[in-house]
């Protein structure tokens, strides 16, 4: 089988990293992969390292925080421009004679339009809500744009049940498949933590990711202030950069927390620094699939996360972490304080989180489930909805059962 991936950007974002993980999983299974990117950047470099042939076609996302729906002549003109770019994507892809084209995330439509031009089966891999998590606007309007993507796609893969439910109005149930991303950290961190933190010392929490209002670093800082007012020695490490970092630094100063908050900044590989903490925080307002939560678990850290979006499918209260009410800083502070008072629980939950995360979010599982979907997509006749084989149906049922168990527990 030969698959062509169309990447919305060339940057080192979470969706792009997950796509590279998927390419690795498929290469292991003998699938020939190709790629189309809008510029030479991280994604192109990663493909070159894996000897994956790729082409460069300039196009831009159809979504973004400053985008408003287009109307009338402007919409018609932009659609014609986009169709022209899709034709160039099709021109590059035609020479590879791929069995399937996969557009990574809902950011662009050029891949889907190009696949229709080539009469090649197309899959949209949806990795975000769009509006709830990023506050994006859509050039054609959210419902219209997602409906068009769904019509042009023989199948849509969604990375959490929360994302699937959000897009249920525009993506027919027969086309929806939920497959959790793999989430990788270097193999040297696969073993249990060699050096456990000092139980008598301060409890270090860590929050990792792009610093922005939607990621909730401000909630973490506010919760730390509350916990420290109770006399507990809790500290916070913030790993990540972004334009909102100066505002966060000012907030830390206003609360008098400079001595207890370490604003580390962006790290290319944050894992060693994350391992110096005992508890990870996931404070995003609505995360589709929190890579950093799974990364923290793989490092042996329990996670306290906002009970919203796909996070509720990753955290089981008392097993691998705790959920707190969204935007409720007092509840978050209570959860942190509880773990500060029960350090043995922190260690036990961290060990359980690590075992579960390595077993669940790995390349073997990701590759097996995605390959089954690719085969079903190819076998389906034009206009016919693909039906998963019995093995893939069992995988899908197991995923749904695990998510239900997470919510019950």
């Amino acid at each position: 089988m030969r698959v062509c991936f169309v990447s919305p950007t060339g940057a080192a974002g979470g969706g792009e990293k997950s796509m590279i993980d998927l390419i690795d999983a498929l290469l292991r299974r003998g699938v020939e992969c190709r790629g189309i990117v809008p510029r030479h950047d991280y994604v192109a470099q990663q493909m070159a390292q894996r000897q994956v042939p790729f082409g460069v076609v300039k196009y831009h996302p159809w979504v973004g925080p400053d985008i408003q729906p287009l109307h009338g002549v402007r919409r018609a003109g932009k659609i014609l421009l986009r169709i022209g770019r899709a034709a160039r994507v099709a021109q590059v892809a035609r020479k590879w004679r791929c069995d399937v084209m996969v557009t990574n995330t809902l950011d662009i439509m050029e891949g889907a339009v190009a696949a229709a031009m080539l009469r090649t089966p197309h899959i949209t891999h949806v990795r975000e809500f769009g509006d709830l998590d990023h506050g994006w606007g859509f050039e054609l309007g959210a419902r219209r744009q997602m409906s068009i993507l769904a019509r042009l796609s023989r199948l849509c893969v969604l990375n959490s049940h929360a994302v699937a439910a959000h897009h249920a109005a525009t993506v027919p149930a027969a086309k929806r498949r939920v497959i959790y991303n793999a989430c990788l950290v270097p193999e040297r961190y696969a073993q249990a933590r060699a050096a456990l933190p000092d139980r008598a010392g301060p409890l270090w929490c860590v929050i990792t990711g792009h610093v922005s209002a939607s990621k909730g670093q401000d909630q973490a800082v506010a919760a730390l202030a509350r916990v420290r007012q109770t006399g507990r020695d809790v500290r916070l490490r913030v790993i990540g950069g972004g334009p909102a970092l100066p505002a966060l630094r000012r907030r830390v100063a206003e609360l008098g927390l400079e001595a207890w908050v370490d604003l580390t900044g962006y790290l290319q590989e944050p894992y060693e620094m994350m391992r110096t903490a005992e508890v990870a925080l996931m404070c995003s307002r609505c995360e589709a699939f929190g890579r950093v939560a799974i990364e923290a678990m793989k490092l042996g850290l329990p996670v306290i996360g906002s009970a919203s979006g796909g996070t509720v499918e990753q955290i089981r209260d008392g097993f691998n972490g705790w959920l707190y009410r969204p935007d409720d800083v007092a509840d978050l502070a209570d959860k942190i304080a509880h773990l500060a008072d029960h350090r043995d629980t922190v260690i036990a939950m961290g060990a359980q989180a690590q075992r579960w995360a390595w077993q669940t979010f790995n390349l073997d599982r990701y590759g097996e489930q995605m390959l089954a979907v690719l085969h079903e997509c190819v076998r389906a006749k034009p206009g016919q909805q693909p039906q998963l084989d019995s093995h893939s149906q069992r995988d899908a049922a197991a995923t749904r059962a695990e998510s239900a168990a997470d919510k019950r527990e």
Side-chain angles (χ1 to χ4, degrees):
M1 176 179 286
R2 184 175 294 168
V3 181
C4 175
F5 289 89
V6 183
S7 179
T9 76
E16 287 79 9
K17 289 179 179 179
S18 293
M19 182 187 71
I20 295 299
D21 292 344
L22 175 56
I23 289 174
D24 283 337
L26 295 176
L27 290 174
R28 290 184 181 186
R29 285 163 173 76
V31 176
E32 295 182 38
C33 295
R34 304 289 187 267
I36 296 176
V37 296
R39 65 180 184 272
H40 285 277
D41 207 336
Y42 168 82
V43 174
Q45 293 167 3
Q46 294 297 313
M47 289 184 175
Q49 288 177 13
R50 291 159 175 77
Q51 298 183 333
V52 171
F54 66 90
V56 178
V57 177
K58 291 184 178 181
Y59 47 77
H60 303 283
W62 295 49
V63 302
D66 300 321
I67 289 179
Q68 298 293 327
L70 300 176
H71 300 282
V73 176
R74 289 189 63 203
R75 177 193 290 173
K78 183 59 74 73
I79 289 175
L80 288 174
L81 177 64
R82 298 290 195 178
I83 290 175
R85 290 170 177 167
R88 290 196 288 274
V89 171
Q91 184 178 12
V92 173
R94 180 180 288 109
K95 64 183 179 182
W96 292 324
R97 298 182 180 276
C98 293
D99 300 291
V100 186
M101 291 184 69
V102 178
T103 294
N104 189 53
T105 80
L106 54 72
D107 297 25
I108 58 171
M109 297 179 65
E110 280 82 355
V113 175
M117 292 175 175
L118 297 173
R119 297 185 179 181
T120 300
H122 179 265
I123 292 175
T124 298
H125 203 318
V126 183
R127 302 183 185 275
E128 59 279 288
F129 297 106
D131 47 1
L132 298 182
D133 44 2
H134 303 302
W136 286 341
F138 293 70
E139 283 188 357
L140 304 183
R143 289 181 64 88
R144 180 182 290 106
Q145 199 157 312
M146 281 303 302
S147 295
I148 294 172
L149 263 179
R151 287 199 297 271
L152 293 175
S153 301
R154 196 168 289 185
L155 186 136
C156 292
V157 175
L158 308 107
N159 64 352
S160 72
H161 292 280
V163 171
H166 182 68
H167 294 294
T170 51
V171 182
K175 289 191 175 186
R176 296 196 302 266
R177 298 291 184 269
V178 175
I179 298 179
Y180 291 144
N181 301 334
C183 187
L184 306 186
V185 300
E187 289 292 333
R188 62 182 176 275
Y189 297 117
Q191 72 278 8
R193 300 181 71 175
L196 294 173
D198 179 6
R199 302 182 196 189
L203 178 78
W204 274 95
C205 299
V206 63
I207 183 168
T208 308
H210 186 73
V211 179
S212 67
S214 66
K215 296 299 183 182
Q217 287 91 351
D218 56 332
Q219 289 187 18
V221 169
L224 177 71
R226 282 176 172 264
V227 176
R228 289 202 61 84
Q229 287 173 359
T230 67
R232 294 176 173 87
D233 190 3
V234 178
R235 308 183 186 191
L236 176 66
R237 179 164 288 122
V238 179
I239 301 176
L245 184 58
L248 185 67
R249 182 174 288 109
R250 289 194 296 271
R251 183 57 177 158
V252 170
E254 290 170 2
L255 295 171
L257 296 174
E258 298 100 317
W260 299 285
V261 176
D262 176 17
L263 297 176
T264 304
Y266 173 76
L267 297 176
Q268 181 68 35
E269 187 172 288
Y271 310 117
E272 195 61 53
M273 186 65 73
M274 290 172 69
R275 275 165 62 97
T276 63
E278 294 176 75
V279 177
L281 307 180
M282 166 59 79
C283 301
S284 297
R285 266 66 177 187
C286 194
E287 194 76 34
F289 180 92
R291 282 180 64 93
V292 294
I294 302 304
E295 288 172 346
M297 290 183 194
K298 286 194 168 188
L299 298 174
L301 279 64
V303 180
I304 303 175
S306 173
S308 62
T311 304
V312 299
E313 299 169 40
Q314 298 174 334
I315 298 176
R316 295 162 56 184
D317 273 341
F319 173 73
N320 58 0
W322 294 100
L323 292 167
Y324 73 94
R325 293 184 294 273
D327 296 319
D328 190 334
V329 172
D331 191 27
L332 172 58
D334 287 344
K335 298 296 192 299
I336 296 172
H338 176 81
L339 293 183
D341 294 340
H342 299 84
R343 305 295 276 275
D344 287 342
T345 299
V346 173
I347 294 171
M349 285 201 305
Q352 289 165 176
Q354 189 171 45
R355 287 193 297 270
W356 175 75
W358 280 95
Q359 292 169 0
T360 307
F361 302 95
N362 57 67
L363 281 185
D364 286 339
R365 183 172 183 173
Y366 192 30
E368 184 177 0
Q369 291 179 333
M370 281 298 302
L371 185 58
V373 168
L374 290 167
H375 279 303
E376 290 297 326
C377 183
V378 170
R379 285 198 290 267
K381 296 178 181 178
Q384 174 187 350
Q385 300 296 340
Q387 297 294 322
L388 291 178
D389 57 25
S390 59
H391 180 74
S392 300
Q393 289 173 355
R394 288 196 299 272
D395 281 343
T399 299
R400 289 193 296 270
E402 289 171 2
S403 177
D406 289 350
K407 294 177 181 178
R408 287 196 302 271
E409 299 181 22

